[in-house]
């Protein structure tokens, strides 16, 4: 037997989480259902007039996506900490940051990516024209990716705390505000015929910052959380 | 993996749980071929000591040395040679026994299906290999956790109550895998209430007192 290379270790964690999700698909589908339901309710509650809906459409899609991603975050590390898997990961001799990043990547594929894929459909319901689909999806791709990493840090910090979900929202929501502002701004600029490059580049910058520093913060937080 | 020159030493470990001073100046040394059994009444700090050794809990004061070097700053190298069997079995109820081993033990060592089958056979649950872990009995889950430890191919084993939930045959199994391990030159440290290798020549004892 030889020592597992880190890429293979990360792949195992990733595949494991997808396998587990496949066997518990009802839990995974919950954020997506929430996303579709919330965005469908807006035309019913406000106005069916597409020209008015179009004004708020981008913002509504973004708020709904943000809240649905948050919904799934609390459970991110909890099961693994409670059944002792996390202890084994900490002691595996593999860089913990990579292992946790693989887990966050699986979480994003399960909860973030479906939101991105669904966004043109729910956007159409809110009167968003085809010309903004690309910008909407790209901004959500960067935004949900960042939120998964930021949420991973929050979940790692609060996993050892009883009733940590309230604390988690308080921690993550303020950090998510810049993404919400730049994301919905990019969509409305595209709709008004301006170039959305500025806000998109800022979103990308936040994403890469989270991706590069997030694993360090997550592994430090998890090491504290498993001390109990 | 070669176990040559493997030794573990703890010097003057002090640890608190909340405001209770649990471990007071605990020192011991384990060399290759040694099995250290930690005994003492409930709540005396056996689990705390094992978690300090693993690095899951920070010690307030004291030094831990592996192969003669402080493990501070060499955490990953130490962890790579460490196998920990805690109170928790670290199993996923929705995964089968084989998948549990592949996804968790596979993180440490590249495993083939034959490696996994051989180890499942060793711990006596080969016929349960494709059942989800949720349908295993408590003793079978413990055996599966033991299989994970075996596959880790670690030099230093840290075992927290390894015979919990096991039947007589299971206890003999744990004794035989520990004996095999120390005879190959490995080290083992276990906390146990029950009889565990009490007559073996490799046994050393550490009694914790309240």
């Amino acid at each position: 037997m030889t020592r597992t290379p880190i890429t293979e270790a990360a792949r195992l964690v990733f595949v494991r989480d997808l396998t587990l999700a496949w066997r518990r698909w009802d839990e995974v589908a919950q954020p997506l259902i929430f996303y579709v339901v919330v965005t469908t309710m807006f035309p019913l509650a406000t106005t069916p007039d597409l020209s008015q809906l179009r004004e708020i459409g981008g913002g509504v899609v973004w708020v709904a996506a943000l809240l649905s991603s948050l919904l799934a975050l609390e459970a991110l590390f909890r099961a693994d900490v409670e059944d002792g898997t996390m202890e084994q990961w900490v002691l595996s001799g593999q860089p913990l940051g990579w292992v946790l990043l693989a887990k966050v990547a699986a979480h994003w594929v399960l909860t973030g990516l479906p939101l991105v894929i669904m966004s043109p459909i729910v956007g159409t319901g809110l009167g968003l024209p085809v010309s903004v689909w690309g910008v909407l999806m790209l901004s959500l791709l960067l935004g949900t990716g960042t939120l998964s990493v930021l949420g991973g840090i929050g979940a790692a910090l609060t996993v050892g705390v009883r009733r940590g979900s309230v604390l988690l929202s308080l921690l993550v929501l303020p950090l998510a505000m810049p993404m919400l502002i730049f994301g919905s701004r990019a969509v409305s600029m595209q709709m008004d015929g301006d170039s959305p490059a500025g806000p998109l580049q800022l979103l990308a910058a936040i994403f890469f910052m989270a991706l590069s520093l997030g694993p360090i913060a997550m592994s430090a937080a998890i090491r504290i959380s498993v001390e109990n | 993996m070669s176990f040559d020159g493997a030794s573990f030493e703890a010097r003057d470990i002090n640890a608190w749980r909340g405001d209770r001073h649990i471990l007071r100046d605990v020192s011991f040394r384990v060399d290759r071929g040694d099995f250290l059994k930690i005994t003492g009444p409930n709540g005396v700090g056996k689990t705390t000591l094992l978690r300090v050794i693993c690095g899951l809990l920070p010690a307030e004061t004291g030094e831990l040395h592996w192969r003669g070097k402080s493990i501070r700053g060499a955490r990953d190298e130490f962890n790579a040679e460490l196998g920990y069997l805690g109170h928790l079995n670290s199993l996923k109820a929705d995964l089968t026994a084989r998948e549990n081993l592949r996804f968790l033990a596979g993180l440490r060592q590249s495993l083939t299906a034959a490696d996994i089958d051989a180890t499942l056979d060793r711990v006596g649950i080969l016929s349960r290999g494709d059942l989800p872990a949720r349908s295993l009995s408590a003793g079978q889950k413990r055996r599966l956790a033991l299989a994970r430890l075996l596959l880790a191919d670690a030099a230093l084993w840290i075992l927290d109550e390894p015979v919990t939930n096991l039947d007589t045959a299971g206890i003999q199994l744990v004794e035989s895998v520990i004996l095999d391990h120390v005879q190959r030159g490995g080290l083992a440290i276990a906390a146990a209430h029950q009889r565990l290798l009490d007559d073996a020549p490799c046994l050393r004892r550490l009694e914790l007192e309240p």
Side-chain angles (χ1 to χ4, degrees):
Chain A
M1 288 188 280
T2 52
R3 202 136 177 81
T4 310
I6 173 59
T7 45
E8 172 64 11
R11 194 189 66 86
L12 278 174
V13 172
F14 185 78
V15 173
R16 188 205 74 142
D17 272 26
L18 295 191
T19 313
L20 279 171
W22 180 247
R23 290 182 196 166
R24 286 275 174 105
W25 63 269
D26 48 324
E27 285 174 19
V28 180
Q30 199 196 354
L32 186 62
I33 294 168
F34 176 84
Y35 177 63
V36 174
V37 168
V38 167
T39 46
T40 317
M41 278 176 174
F42 262 86
L44 298 175
T46 54
T47 164
D49 178 13
L50 280 184
S51 63
Q52 283 183 40
L53 277 175
R54 199 169 292 143
E55 298 288 310
I56 56 163
V60 169
V61 173
W62 253 92
V63 170
L66 206 72
L67 292 178
S68 358
S69 316
L70 206 62
L71 209 67
L73 273 180
E74 204 235 337
L76 181 56
F77 296 127
R78 189 162 298 269
D80 288 316
V81 168
E82 281 174 359
D83 67 19
T85 306
M86 192 60 81
E87 288 175 356
Q88 296 296 334
W89 283 346
V90 171
L91 298 177
S92 66
Q94 303 284 5
L96 185 60
W98 279 101
V99 172
L100 297 177
L101 192 62
K103 193 166 165 58
V104 165
H107 178 262
W108 177 78
V109 167
L110 292 164
T111 63
L113 191 59
L115 302 186
V116 178
I117 293 168
M118 279 297 279
S119 59
I121 299 171
V122 302
T124 306
L126 292 164
L128 295 180
V130 182
S131 58
V132 304
W133 284 10
V135 173
L136 180 66
M137 287 177 80
L138 183 59
S139 67
L140 280 174
L141 195 71
L142 294 166
T144 51
T146 312
L147 197 69
S148 285
V149 180
L150 286 180
I153 300 171
L157 277 170
T158 55
V159 72
V161 184
R162 264 179 290 276
R163 286 180 285 279
S165 55
V166 183
L167 201 56
L168 177 63
S169 314
L170 280 175
L171 273 173
V172 175
L173 271 180
L175 295 172
M177 286 308 122
M179 277 132 45
L180 179 69
I181 293 164
F182 295 133
S184 48
R185 179 83 186 124
V187 177
S188 66
M189 282 173 88
Q190 172 76 9
M191 206 142 44
D192 297 342
D194 299 329
S195 162
L200 283 179
Q201 281 163 357
L202 280 165
L203 275 180
I206 300 174
F207 172 68
F208 285 113
M209 192 172 80
L211 198 62
S212 52
L213 299 178
I216 303 169
M218 274 190 283
S219 62
I222 281 289
R223 279 179 210 280
I224 297 169
S225 291
V226 294
E227 275 178 18
N228 301 297
Chain B
M1 189 179 293
S2 160
F3 299 161
D4 289 346
S7 70
F8 182 82
E9 190 177 6
R11 292 183 200 146
D12 302 324
I13 301 294
N14 281 277
W16 273 260
R17 289 298 264 163
D19 51 4
R20 282 203 311 136
H21 189 180
I22 289 196
L23 301 174
R24 290 171 193 268
D25 297 325
V26 177
S27 300
F28 61 87
R29 182 185 165 90
V30 194
D31 288 298
R32 55 180 312 219
D34 280 346
F35 167 54
L36 179 73
K37 182 173 168 182
I38 301 170
T39 53
N42 287 135
V44 78
K46 298 189 290 297
T47 295
T48 304
L49 178 57
L50 294 184
R51 291 179 74 87
V52 167
I53 295 172
C54 291
L56 288 172
L57 259 181
E60 213 75 28
T61 62
E63 282 287 326
L64 299 171
H65 290 255
W66 172 245
R67 293 183 186 273
K69 282 189 297 218
S70 172
I71 64 171
R72 200 171 298 165
R75 193 61 77 179
D76 280 350
E77 289 89 334
F78 174 61
N79 285 345
E81 293 197 81
L82 172 85
Y84 175 61
L85 178 66
H87 272 297
L88 300 165
N89 289 326
S90 311
L91 301 175
K92 283 281 164 214
D94 287 330
L95 297 178
T96 67
R98 277 199 178 82
E99 286 170 336
N100 265 296
L101 292 179
R102 185 160 73 89
F103 287 132
L104 197 48
L107 223 57
R108 306 179 62 115
Q109 303 289 335
S110 302
L111 301 174
T112 62
D115 292 331
I116 290 178
D117 280 5
T119 311
L120 281 175
D121 195 25
R122 174 92 200 269
V123 299
I125 52 169
L126 182 57
S127 60
R128 303 281 185 277
D130 289 321
L131 288 181
R134 71 165 72 257
S135 65
L136 300 180
S137 74
Q140 287 169 336
K141 284 179 185 154
R142 202 63 180 158
R143 284 166 185 253
L144 185 54
L146 193 65
R148 176 176 45 72
L149 177 73
L150 286 167
L151 284 170
D153 197 29
L156 173 63
W157 285 6
I158 310 286
L159 316 167
D160 198 352
E161 302 288 354
V163 294
T164 313
N165 291 326
L166 289 177
D167 53 16
T168 323
I171 295 172
Q172 280 169 2
L173 170 73
V174 171
E175 292 188 323
S176 83
V177 297
I178 294 176
L179 266 184
D180 274 1
H181 178 62
V182 296
Q183 276 162 7
R184 282 171 60 212
L187 294 70
I189 302 175
H193 288 293
Q194 298 89 341
R195 287 181 57 82
L196 189 66
L197 288 172
D198 281 358
D199 307 317
C202 58
L203 178 75
R204 314 236 330 275
R205 284 172 188 278
L206 176 71
E207 176 95 31
L208 293 182
E209 282 156 14

